[in-house]
Amino acid sequence: MTKILKITKLKYKYDEESDVHAVDDVSFDVSRGEWVSIIGRNGSGKSTTARLIDGLMAAESGQIEIDGELLTEDNVWTLRQKIGMVFQNPDNQFVGSTVEDDVAFGMENQGVPRDEMLSRVDAALSRVGMADFKTKEPARLSGGQKQRVAIAGIVALRPDIIILDEATSMLDPQGRTEIIRVVREIKEQYGLTVISITHDLDEASFSDKIIVMKDGKIEQIATPEKLFLNNDLIEIGLDVPFASNVAADLRRSGLDIPEKYLTESELADFIWQSILTK
Amino acid sequence: MDKLIIGRYIPGESLIHRMDPRSKLLAMFAFVVIIFLANDVIGYGILAVFTFVGVALSQIKLSYFLKGLRPMLGLILFTVIFQMLFTTGGDVLFQVWILKITTYSVQNAFYIFMRFVLIIFMSTLLTLTTPPLTLADGIETGLAPLKKIKVPVHEIGLMLSISLRFIPTLMDDTTMIMNAQKARGMDFGEGNLVQKVKSVIPILIPLFVSSFRRADDLAIAMESRGYQGGEGRTKYRVLKWHLIDTVLLVSLAVLAAALIAWNTLK
């Protein structure tokens, strides 16, 4: 698989004077079509990393290679077209006065001809299930709907990489599952690469690999199955999955449950089997 | 806030709704000038008929226009009464002490009243039938010729549409901050003037801070979506000039010509 993103020894600090790096010697790479989650506690450098990748801030040192091209000051605008970012606050990233204007905003910036814009706006809005809201103002939308519009704006731009910068953290559980479902669908449809920064377990469990950050450094890179085995998940900024909690409780009450991560259905199957074989 | 009709937009499908905002804005300005051409009952009569044709065409209930008049009522009455009392000349109709009401003063008061009402009706007609965003678009394209003398027209348009978009958001913010401060024992509208002004600070400062934060986030979101300024942008919204827009401007020109002719003929 080709590497769409290659990050080598990235360093960044907010305060020139201080010795504390917000991002400290971070290296990882992402294959095309992969879903990568970055997790970690507040202040661990996740969001900073995301912004560095999009060229929104200039790194102190290190290299970012997007789709085989090295990110420099000269090509930041063209490389940025390959990346679509959804941010945390649904309200503060809504640029247009109505839904359709907001979806069109990115295309306007790229100078897409108007006829094409019209069809792409419609296609993108129906892709995220917001076609009925085309002429609505942001004040009339819920947080989840605004985030769907933000995703539509990115779908319309057809980038290679989507970065979700805690895009679901301000939504209710229902809005959250819906956003994740929409992102998964468009990822499959267009073969996108997703980088998701999150504290949400469901979101992280979809990923092909999880990068754990701590104090600006990468602590470990693992698959979700491996990581969820770990019992100090809370320590690294995630909740413990429900199934792990149940398994731990059952273990404590004397049931012999294997020491590996089980999904909810796997755990249910295991309990059925153990009852039947008794 | 719901009672405030100024700047509100009532969705509709009427002829006036479908007009180009540029022609409406231009017509609005022209109308204000034309009003000063009228100087007798017939002149004002013609303008009133013109205005009411516009109101009727918009298919919006007259009550909305009257509501638009309400906040200005005090000012109108104030000016009308002053005109009435302090205009001199003409035959005296009625006199108390040094205050007298003359034919001239009644006439002047009537003109002032008509000017106010017609201008307010027309501007209400403009805002009721034009979505704010379209109005901003109209202003932006209307200012386009000023680009030649280096007026940042695109930036003005962008700022206008962003402010319009954030008005409801900031209103929500204000209510939330007010309630939060009330929950912490803040009393609004109590005490003397100094105390009242002081009680605004715990709303204003958080509001400013949150606006700065919003602006920061918005700027980053805009940059990440490739916004580099006005150069090389295409526009999603385009304004269409219809036949009716030409008709409107021509009819205004005819109106002005008729009034000038009437004035000179008299």
Side-chain angles (χ1 to χ4, degrees):
Chain A
M1 253 199 284
T2 52
K3 301 286 180 216
I4 194 156
L5 190 69
K6 220 173 189 168
I7 288 164
T8 10
K9 303 206 162 164
L10 202 61
K11 273 192 180 203
Y12 182 85
K13 57 182 172 188
Y14 282 96
D15 188 0
E16 294 272 324
E17 311 287 299
S18 99
D19 296 328
V20 186
H21 283 78
V23 173
D24 194 0
D25 210 18
V26 164
S27 309
F28 64 93
D29 45 35
V30 179
S31 305
R32 190 177 287 278
E34 216 175 5
W35 182 308
V36 175
S37 291
I38 305 180
I39 62 171
R41 314 179 84 173
N42 291 336
S44 59
K46 316 178 295 281
S47 288
T48 313
T49 308
R51 284 171 191 203
L52 289 171
I53 294 172
D54 203 19
L56 294 167
M57 300 188 302
E60 184 188 314
S61 64
Q63 288 180 333
I64 298 166
E65 210 176 285
I66 300 165
D67 210 6
E69 227 182 303
L70 205 63
L71 182 75
T72 63
E73 228 172 282
D74 300 320
N75 63 10
V76 63
W77 292 103
T78 45
L79 283 185
R80 197 174 281 162
Q81 290 183 10
K82 293 178 189 286
I83 301 176
M85 256 180 119
V86 183
F87 296 90
Q88 180 175 26
N89 191 315
D91 246 319
N92 297 0
Q93 54 179 317
F94 208 107
V95 186
S97 319
T98 65
V99 168
E100 51 180 339
D101 285 295
D102 191 63
V103 176
F105 179 75
M107 287 189 283
E108 288 180 324
N109 294 335
Q110 293 189 5
V112 176
R114 183 163 181 270
D115 295 331
E116 199 180 335
M117 261 200 276
L118 293 177
S119 60
R120 281 214 223 164
V121 166
D122 285 338
L125 279 176
S126 46
R127 191 70 212 71
V128 300
M130 287 292 288
D132 296 341
F133 296 86
K134 198 176 157 191
T135 57
K136 290 270 188 295
E137 289 122 49
R140 294 177 197 278
L141 303 179
S142 71
Q145 287 172 329
K146 278 178 215 160
Q147 290 299 62
R148 280 202 268 170
V149 174
I151 292 170
I154 282 162
V155 171
L157 285 173
R158 302 177 184 161
D160 297 320
I161 305 172
I162 288 190
I163 301 180
L164 306 170
D165 187 357
E166 297 190 36
T168 58
S169 68
M170 287 176 83
L171 304 180
D172 60 19
Q174 208 183 344
R176 202 176 282 190
T177 27
E178 222 170 299
I179 293 297
I180 296 171
R181 190 185 48 99
V182 169
V183 175
R184 286 186 76 187
E185 280 173 12
I186 54 175
K187 176 188 178 290
E188 292 311 316
Q189 190 177 348
Y190 301 112
L192 297 179
T193 308
V194 178
I195 299 174
S196 143
I197 293 165
T198 185
H199 295 281
D200 184 53
L201 211 69
D202 293 323
E203 219 173 308
S205 66
F206 290 128
S207 34
D208 300 305
K209 71 180 180 208
I210 296 180
I211 297 171
V212 183
M213 287 189 71
K214 192 183 176 189
D215 300 331
K217 289 193 175 68
I218 290 184
E219 274 254 292
Q220 56 170 311
I221 301 179
T223 58
E225 290 77 26
K226 261 201 199 123
L227 198 74
F228 291 162
L229 243 185
N230 229 322
N231 286 323
D232 41 333
L233 280 170
I234 299 166
E235 191 76 353
I236 58 179
L238 270 187
D239 262 341
V240 183
F242 174 69
S244 295
N245 261 335
V246 174
D249 280 350
L250 290 175
R251 243 173 249 134
R252 220 167 294 138
S253 58
L255 213 63
D256 186 25
I257 291 177
E259 283 283 343
K260 76 181 219 324
Y261 173 68
L262 297 168
T263 62
E264 277 173 41
S265 60
E266 281 169 350
L267 183 65
D269 283 347
F270 179 82
I271 294 171
W272 277 116
Q273 278 167 14
S274 59
I275 292 171
L276 287 173
T277 50
K278 220 171 223 173
Chain B
M1 279 298 168
D2 283 342
K3 287 199 183 104
L4 206 65
I5 202 84
I6 300 171
R8 267 256 308 266
Y9 164 66
I10 314 258
E13 281 298 316
S14 76
L15 198 61
I16 307 258
H17 277 96
R18 273 178 279 135
M19 273 187 198
D20 192 295
R22 284 169 299 180
S23 77
K24 280 196 265 190
L25 270 166
L26 205 62
M28 179 64 217
F29 283 119
F31 190 79
V32 173
V33 176
I34 288 173
I35 276 185
F36 290 96
L37 289 175
N39 57 8
D40 59 8
V41 177
I42 303 216
Y44 279 107
I46 296 170
L47 288 178
V49 169
F50 188 84
T51 309
F52 280 99
V53 168
V55 170
L57 280 178
S58 74
Q59 292 170 2
I60 291 173
K61 274 188 241 141
L62 197 63
S63 60
Y64 278 110
F65 291 89
L66 297 176
K67 257 190 249 166
L69 210 54
R70 199 179 295 159
M72 300 293 284
L73 209 59
L75 184 67
I76 295 174
L77 285 179
F78 181 78
T79 347
V80 165
I81 288 170
F82 263 68
Q83 283 291 333
M84 206 78 106
L85 295 181
F86 295 109
T87 312
T88 50
D91 306 327
V92 175
L93 294 176
F94 186 75
Q95 186 166 18
V96 183
W97 189 41
I98 54 160
L99 304 170
K100 39 186 166 189
I101 292 174
T102 66
T103 43
Y104 267 33
S105 65
V106 170
Q107 208 180 14
N108 256 344
F110 171 73
Y111 293 166
I112 293 280
F113 177 76
M114 286 304 279
R115 276 179 202 165
F116 263 119
V117 171
L118 291 181
I119 290 178
I120 290 168
F121 265 43
M122 269 301 185
S123 50
T124 316
L125 184 63
L126 175 74
T127 52
L128 285 184
T129 59
T130 323
L133 182 67
T134 325
L135 211 54
D137 273 349
I139 293 170
E140 189 185 341
T141 46
L143 289 178
L146 295 181
K147 258 185 218 159
K148 290 216 174 68
I149 54 165
K150 293 195 174 152
V151 176
V153 173
H154 162 74
E155 280 76 10
I156 293 174
L158 185 81
M159 266 155 45
L160 225 96
S161 65
I162 287 179
S163 352
L164 286 170
R165 174 246 169 282
F166 271 97
I167 288 172
T169 314
L170 291 181
M171 293 267 238
D172 287 350
D173 272 6
T174 315
T175 330
M176 204 173 70
I177 293 168
M178 268 180 91
N179 287 339
Q181 301 290 31
K182 271 185 201 158
R184 299 160 84 190
M186 196 69 211
D187 249 339
F188 296 110
E190 294 279 312
N192 60 27
L193 195 67
V194 178
Q195 283 168 325
K196 267 184 195 166
V197 171
K198 269 189 182 161
S199 74
V200 175
I201 294 170
I203 308 173
L204 271 188
I205 292 182
L207 197 61
F208 269 118
V209 172
S210 89
S211 304
F212 279 125
R213 189 159 304 151
R214 280 187 194 283
D216 220 21
D217 281 1
L218 188 71
I220 285 180
M222 283 170 73
E223 207 183 329
S224 83
R225 284 161 76 181
Y227 178 76
Q228 297 179 69
E231 291 296 307
R233 279 189 106 225
T234 43
K235 291 217 86 177
Y236 177 69
R237 282 173 178 275
V238 285
L239 302 171
K240 275 203 204 85
W241 192 273
H242 302 282
L243 181 65
I244 178 73
D245 296 303
T246 320
V247 172
L248 173 68
L249 293 187
V250 169
S251 68
L252 273 167
V254 170
L255 190 67
L259 281 170
I260 291 170
W262 173 249
N263 287 347
T264 45
L265 270 178
K266 233 176 0 175

